[in-house]
Amino acid sequence: MTAYHETYLSDAMECLGEAFDAAVNSYGVQADRFYEMFQAGGFAERFQSGDASVISGITGRDLAERVISKAGLTFVCDKEMIAFDRTPEFWAGWVLAYYQYSRCQSFRVIHKVITMDALTSLYRPYHEADEEKVCELIDGKFRESGRTSLQRMRRWKGLSQSGLAKASSVGIRTLQQYELGNRELIKASYETVRRLSACLDCTPDELCAEID
């Protein structure tokens, strides 16, 4: 279920696109560094939860400045942005906002699958294609990283099945069934999901989320 109404989507895409454009091309912050700051400062969570003051109440440049300031950095504008200039960084932020909204995935999880540098590199030839074309490519990366969110999170954490089973006190056979999708993790007890998510440094929602 999406966190905000579709009428706000174009504003959200414009805002995040402009934010990445400003961060990289006006303030000289590397794209993935800005992405990390966007998450660490709480802006990503507010954005994906549909906080109107972030997705449509400010400009992308304002958002970039707030993210950079929250990180404790002093920013100096290297050069003025031209409003009609749609850079690869703008396009990457634009597509990122669309993917997060359409797939209901958190920014943090998306970042584990594709970096901003990798997304920006897709500008050619995808910038003239429908956003869904890029989304399908990212979907493929998710599938390659694991059949279920639990399997993906475990691999990203660098844990073996036995290692996670021991750390979480969840039986390895039970864990295997959840990873294969033979049992639905969303139907597991809260305590089971809590222990697994704590070991994997993610939220219960991220752990139970799936891509069709």
Side-chain angles (χ1 to χ4, degrees):
M1 182 177 179
T2 54
Y4 54 91
H5 195 273
E6 188 176 3
T7 54
Y8 290 101
L9 179 56
S10 61
D11 287 344
M13 293 167 68
E14 181 81 19
C15 183
L16 199 58
E18 187 179 314
F20 273 96
D21 195 355
V24 175
N25 298 306
S26 286
Y27 302 132
V29 180
Q30 193 268 341
D32 278 300
R33 173 62 176 141
F34 180 74
Y35 198 174
E36 292 168 356
M37 292 157 55
F38 176 63
Q39 296 172 68
F43 294 96
E45 186 173 349
R46 290 171 61 190
F47 200 101
Q48 68 199 25
S49 67
D51 185 337
S53 67
V54 176
I55 64 173
S56 63
I58 58 175
T59 67
R61 178 180 284 271
D62 288 337
L63 176 58
E65 292 177 354
R66 292 185 188 186
V67 169
I68 295 169
S69 294
K70 184 70 178 289
L73 302 179
T74 301
F75 56 85
V76 177
C77 184
D78 292 335
K79 59 182 178 180
E80 289 298 320
M81 285 195 311
I82 301 174
F84 55 82
D85 183 18
R86 296 313 187 214
T87 65
E89 291 76 22
F90 178 95
W91 175 84
W94 170 279
V95 170
L96 176 62
Y98 179 85
Y99 189 85
Q100 188 282 314
Y101 174 86
S102 65
R103 299 309 194 261
C104 299
Q105 283 285 358
S106 71
F107 285 109
R108 185 170 72 152
V109 168
I110 297 169
H111 199 194
K112 289 179 180 292
V113 172
I114 186 166
T115 65
M116 284 307 292
D117 285 344
L119 185 56
T120 303
S121 72
L122 298 175
Y123 178 74
R124 290 186 175 84
Y126 286 97
H127 71 286
E128 293 183 348
D130 185 270
E131 289 84 4
E132 276 297 320
K133 290 292 185 181
V134 185
C135 289
E136 290 169 6
L137 187 150
I138 301 174
D139 287 347
K141 291 183 177 294
F142 266 99
R143 287 190 290 271
E144 290 170 5
S145 65
R147 182 176 299 182
T148 61
S149 290
L150 174 58
Q151 190 176 64
R152 295 166 193 154
M153 296 291 183
R154 176 181 62 77
R155 288 177 175 176
W156 293 337
K157 191 69 174 177
L159 288 171
S160 65
Q161 287 183 334
S162 59
L164 178 57
K166 182 177 180 180
S168 64
S169 298
V170 174
I172 190 166
R173 290 188 181 278
T174 300
L175 184 65
Q176 289 170 341
Q177 290 297 302
Y178 287 137
E179 283 205 1
L180 291 172
N182 294 334
R183 294 177 63 177
E184 296 182 57
L185 185 59
I186 197 170
K187 294 180 179 179
S189 69
Y190 171 78
E191 182 60 21
T192 295
V193 177
R194 185 197 66 77
R195 291 201 305 268
L196 287 170
S197 59
C199 291
L200 296 171
D201 189 29
C202 65
T203 68
D205 284 345
E206 289 173 340
L207 193 60
C208 293
E210 296 296 342
I211 289 182
D212 295 332

